[in-house]
Amino acid sequence: MRVRARGWLCLFLACGLAGWSCAAPADPPVWKAVPEVRDWLNGAEPQFEHLHLDLPLVSEEGMSVPLAIDVTSAMTPDDSIVAIRVFAAGNPQPEVLDLTLDPRLGRAVFETRIRLDESQTVLVLARHSDGRVFAAEQAVRVANSGCLARSEEAFDAPMGEPRVAVPDPFPADRGHGEVRSLILHPMETGFREGPDGEPLPRRIIEDFSVSLDGEIVLAARFHAAMSANPYLAFRLAPEQDGELVLRWLDETGEERSATRTVRVVD
Amino acid sequence: MRKMVSFPSRRRRVFAAVLATPFLSTVMSVAAADPVPVTTLAYGCMGCHAAPAAEGSGIRTLAGRDADDLLAAMKEYRAPGGTASTSMHRVIGGYSDVELQALADHFAGQEP
Amino acid sequence: MSADPVRRRLLGALGASIGLTAAGLPIQLSAAGGRVVIVGGGFGGAAAARALRQLSPGLDVTLIEPSAVFRTCPFSNLYLGGLRDYGSLGHHYGYLQGPHGIRVVRATAVDVDVERRRVHLHDGGRVPYDRLILSPGIDMRWDALEGYDEAAAQRLPHAWKAGAQTRLLHRQLRAMDDGGLFVMVIPDNPYRCPPGPYERAAMVAHYCKRHKPKSKILLLDAKDGFSKQALFEQGWRDVYGDMIEWVGFSADGQVLRVDADERLAETAFGERHRAAVMNVIPPQQAGRIARQARVTDSSGWVPVKPETFESRQVPGIYVIGDAAVAAPMPKSAFCAHAQAGVTAAAVLASLANRPPPSPVWLNTCYSLIAPDYGISISGQYRLRDNAIAEVTGGISPLEAGPGLRQREADHARDWYHVMTTAIWGA
Ligand SMILES: Cc1cc2nc3c(=O)[nH]c(=O)nc-3n(C[C@H](O)[C@H](O)[C@H](O)COP(=O)(O)OP(=O)(O)OC[C@H]3O[C@@H](n4cnc5c(N)ncnc54)[C@H](O)[C@@H]3O)c2cc1C
């Protein structure tokens, strides 16, 4: 009798809790809560599929968190991913990275390194050419270990020489290869104080573009949440030999570029 | 509206924390939590001061020492600008008065 | 939910023996019951066995460890540098077994039957437990770096678990020609002992300075910064001039492929470095038995409840040391020992059906730049908002005279002596 009574009590409590959790207003999802995200969605409702995110569950320091994005797509002209947005709503500015894609990339696969100010959920959205928006999100705990803390010294050096790695040769038949790019740059956010307590002036690379034989195949907008010395790896599926030009433009107007010959296996 | 707009000062603190990452040399505000048992507190000290192993080394054993001496020494390490040591002054910051007293009594009551 | 039979059995017995002092602090347990089994007799596991028997002298504690002698990673860099002999890194289990009444089973745990609460041993043996503590340390991720598998490690040693690998690297360094290039490949976080690679660089330089002064040490790092970086860079420069060169991620330090036959490391942007001796520290994960027990997550490490280090995935299994996700605590021997103490108290509380006591953990990692030049980092950790947080801490000052560096070097040696004696008795 007693046991049964307790059983009922449990059942009652469970129901009560379940009912409550349904009734209680849950935190709205990031994609609904952040105005910058809503603006970009422009009424579209994201589908949490076709997009895979790779981020550490726990990062011991937030200055350079590796992020990999993989959107399933054939990347043909009428069935492709046209744009990707990365948001970190726990940062003072939620935007991290905007990408505009061309089917000639062959795959919608990217790797980069980002800044996470505190523990938070990272949201990635990908717009398909038919208007659908795919999404994936992941919570990252930033543990801020003093053991790994480092001081990024302010350096007002100009942009450094870029580094670019291109597969040589690329596989044939629209096979894709990974192109890696990195440029030395402080990506000074404007939020950081110098030794005198005054904010260090903001200076970031805002625009990055990749063109193949004169036509842009990837355009990126970097925000302050991209790690210093921004790194971006992407795929490219050239159909024939050609010339690849990567260009970085920082907000002071300074520009760097790198040119690489593209060879496709015959 | 978003918090960054309502608390503009926070804006600066945030990326500063990620970018400058000053080491946490100050003591975080200690929220009221359940007291840590003295056995747990004392075990922490054993990472360096385990007795009797510490004998013959440059690290002093704590067992059987006078409680007042121990307490005074620990408070001295904890005081801002107090005794500079290799690491004592860096780890002792988080301990409350009550904890230090409990530790001093605990070690004083042990067989040397 | 059925009540845990052990808990029920213990409640009566323990009600009398556990009490609270007026100050709310628990007095020592005298005769707790329940079988606690520990897998791994390294810093975490052996310390947990000691702590359990100290808190509860009659407790039934079994320690499963395949080796007769435990070789410490701490100070293995000093062996490479010629400051210590290999024998001094070894510690036996006799003292735990004899005076401390811990049952040491010389075996490898190959599986855990979480339903029946039994550990399966390599020889078919079964060890039943009421609470299980795993402290298996790390395994290398042999799939993570192209060209680096177990066979490659016989030519390009990692020496990141002390033992045969450490001796191999020692032999290779001794056999290297003066002027040879020593290359170290260093992974991204998290990995065992964040300052370890940089101390190793200093110790290799210490050896080279005396015996192979024309040699160079090149550190190829997947990260853009590291633990105690400014102190290390200052120390390297002061003591070894330009013998050590560090190349971080942004300077193309990330190695994506190694070739064991050619002793070649290839970086993300296509630089190829050929070494006379190559020490590859690959990405790591929790020791295999943690995966067998299904306590690891997709990261390969073990998520734990911060107040006790009980697995978030399997009740009754506690995971301490390098295998656990304890960030911001580093993966150090000091932390493994600290976690052992807190978790021992939590295990006893759980057997007695009591809430776990509030934890506090300390850490100090010493690194030697030279025999008379030590640096350190310390931290104190507590629970904040149900997560582990660093409440205070700091590193050695950048501006310091030789006196402090000497004292820290002395303390490093004292720490090693105290820690190993406290755990293994010799
Ligand atoms: C070069 C180097 C230098 C270091 N220096 C320092 C230092 O100065 N200070 C410091 O604090 N830390 C240092 N560390 C880190 C330290 O070695 C580790 O953090 C520490 O050993 C972790 O303890 P653990 O118990 O998790 O693992 P370990 O100490 O590695 O112990 C794991 C044990 O488990 C056993 N085991 C594994 N699987 C099984 C199984 N299936 N069945 C039975 N037994 C099993 C193993 O045989 C081993 O004995 C250093 C590390 C390296 C590599």
Side-chain angles (χ1 to χ4, degrees), chain C residues 39-45 64-67 70 73-77 93 107-110 135-138 159-161 192-193 196 199-200 289 320-323 331-336 363-366 415:
Chain C
V39 175
F43 280 94
I64 302 170
E65 163 65 50
S67 315
F70 179 74
C73 281
F75 277 29
S76 64
N77 288 333
Y93 292 97
T108 300
V110 292
S135 190
I138 56 157
W160 219 240
K161 286 186 181 187
R192 158 176 284 183
C193 195
E199 179 191 61
R200 176 170 290 175
I289 189 67
I320 58 174
D322 291 353
K331 295 188 188 301
S332 72
F334 202 115
C335 282
N363 179 54
T364 295
C365 287
Y366 291 100
W415 167 77

Side-chain angles (χ1 to χ4, degrees), chain C residues 248-261:
Chain C
F249 174 81
S250 292
D252 196 15
Q254 185 188 29
V255 171
L256 294 185
R257 193 180 75 87
V258 296
D259 182 328
D261 294 334

Side-chain angles (χ1 to χ4, degrees), chain A residues 44-104:
Chain A
E45 181 139 339
Q47 304 169 9
F48 282 77
E49 56 183 3
H50 300 313
L51 200 167
H52 181 78
L53 264 191
D54 206 350
L55 264 167
L57 299 166
V58 178
S59 175
E60 291 166 314
E61 41 130 42
M63 285 197 292
S64 179
V65 182
L67 162 69
I69 300 168
D70 186 341
V71 200
T72 315
S73 165
M75 291 302 277
T76 56
D78 45 354
D79 173 11
S80 68
I81 298 300
V82 293
I84 290 177
R85 290 286 184 282
V86 180
F87 294 97
N91 282 354
Q93 278 180 338
E95 298 98 334
V96 179
L97 173 66
D98 312 350
L99 297 167
T100 307
L101 293 68
D102 182 276
R104 275 167 289 187

Side-chain angles (χ1 to χ4, degrees), chain B residues 39-100:
Chain B
T39 43
T40 302
L41 288 170
Y43 183 87
C45 309
M46 294 303 106
C48 295
H49 292 277
E55 264 159 44
S57 85
I59 299 175
R60 295 193 61 181
T61 41
L62 305 172
R65 283 171 61 186
D66 181 71
D68 291 339
D69 289 355
L70 279 172
L71 186 63
M74 288 190 286
K75 286 193 164 171
E76 176 68 23
Y77 280 126
R78 198 186 54 178
T83 316
S85 65
T86 50
S87 67
M88 270 305 289
H89 65 291
R90 294 189 227 134
V91 293
I92 206 166
Y95 292 94
S96 68
D97 282 351
V98 175
E99 288 176 336
L100 293 189

Side-chain angles (χ1 to χ4, degrees), chain C residues 69-416:
Chain C
V69 183
F70 179 74
R71 309 270 172 201
T72 62
C73 281
F75 277 29
S76 64
N77 288 333
L78 279 65
Y79 161 64
L80 294 173
L83 306 185
R84 292 228 148 195
D85 60 40
Y86 185 69
S88 74
L89 303 176
H91 304 275
H92 297 259
Y93 292 97
Y95 174 74
L96 275 79
Q97 244 168 322
H100 292 280
I102 295 156
R103 190 178 315 111
V104 180
V105 176
R106 216 177 133 188
T108 300
V110 292
D111 207 350
V112 179
D113 180 342
V114 298
E115 293 292 311
R116 290 147 96 175
R117 299 207 168 191
R118 296 199 306 204
V119 177
H120 294 194
L121 305 181
H122 73 285
D123 59 8
R126 302 275 186 276
V127 185
Y129 66 85
D130 296 309
R131 298 292 180 276
L132 177 63
I133 300 177
L134 302 179
S135 190
I138 56 157
D139 269 356
M140 306 303 148
R141 281 182 45 199
W142 297 114
D143 59 341
L145 178 60
E146 192 186 330
Y148 198 68
D149 55 14
E150 284 187 81
Q154 296 309 311
R155 271 182 73 77
L156 317 178
H158 54 77
W160 219 240
K161 286 186 181 187
Q165 277 277 310
T166 319
R167 303 197 83 168
L168 177 61
L169 186 59
H170 187 274
R171 268 202 310 278
Q172 291 187 352
L173 178 60
R174 282 351 183 236
M176 185 173 83
D177 289 336
D178 188 11
L181 177 67
F182 183 99
V183 171
M184 195 189 303
V185 178
I186 305 172
D188 203 348
N189 297 315
Y191 64 95
R192 158 176 284 183
C193 195
Y198 315 98
E199 179 191 61
R200 176 170 290 175
M203 288 293 100
V204 170
H206 174 75
Y207 166 78
C208 288
K209 188 179 171 185
R210 304 163 100 213
H211 302 284
K212 282 145 198 177
K214 294 204 284 281
S215 290
K216 287 265 188 275
I217 297 154
L218 177 66
L219 311 183
L220 299 174
D221 206 327
K223 307 180 289 301
D224 255 338
F226 57 87
S227 174
K228 296 183 267 192
Q229 181 167 358
L231 284 166
F232 271 114
E233 289 180 335
Q234 181 189 56
W236 291 341
R237 215 170 33 245
D238 289 355
V239 185
Y240 307 111
D242 60 0
M243 188 179 256
I244 301 172
E245 185 191 353
W246 175 75
V247 183
F249 174 81
S250 292
D252 196 15
Q254 185 188 29
V255 171
L256 294 185
R257 193 180 75 87
V258 296
D259 182 328
D261 294 334
E262 301 287 321
R263 283 215 175 81
L264 195 84
E266 195 176 314
T267 62
F269 292 98
E271 205 78 49
R272 289 154 164 256
H273 302 275
R274 194 181 299 270
V277 175
M278 191 182 296
N279 172 204
V280 177
I281 305 166
Q284 298 146 32
Q285 60 191 340
R288 186 184 161 77
I289 189 67
R291 272 168 285 150
Q292 295 296 115
R294 291 191 292 280
V295 290
T296 51
D297 67 15
S298 60
S299 71
W301 304 101
V302 181
V304 292
K305 298 177 186 167
E307 65 275 32
T308 57
F309 281 58
E310 185 177 10
S311 159
R312 284 184 186 277
Q313 294 168 197
V314 183
I317 303 185
Y318 296 73
V319 183
I320 58 174
D322 291 353
V325 178
M329 296 177 82
K331 295 188 188 301
S332 72
F334 202 115
C335 282
H337 171 269
Q339 291 156 8
V342 168
T343 295
V347 163
L348 290 172
S350 153
L351 284 171
N353 208 11
R354 293 177 158 275
S358 283
V360 61
W361 303 270
L362 297 186
N363 179 54
T364 295
C365 287
Y366 291 100
S367 302
L368 282 194
I369 303 278
D372 57 353
Y373 193 136
I375 56 177
S376 67
I377 182 158
S378 314
Q380 183 195 133
Y381 307 86
R382 298 195 187 215
L383 281 191
R384 293 285 175 265
D385 303 326
N386 208 26
I388 302 171
E390 194 162 295
V391 290
T392 183
I395 63 175
S396 311
L398 262 178
E399 292 83 30
L404 181 68
R405 303 291 191 229
Q406 174 76 61
R407 278 213 306 286
E408 294 224 74
D410 292 342
H411 275 198
R413 284 181 279 263
D414 292 340
W415 167 77
Y416 182 84

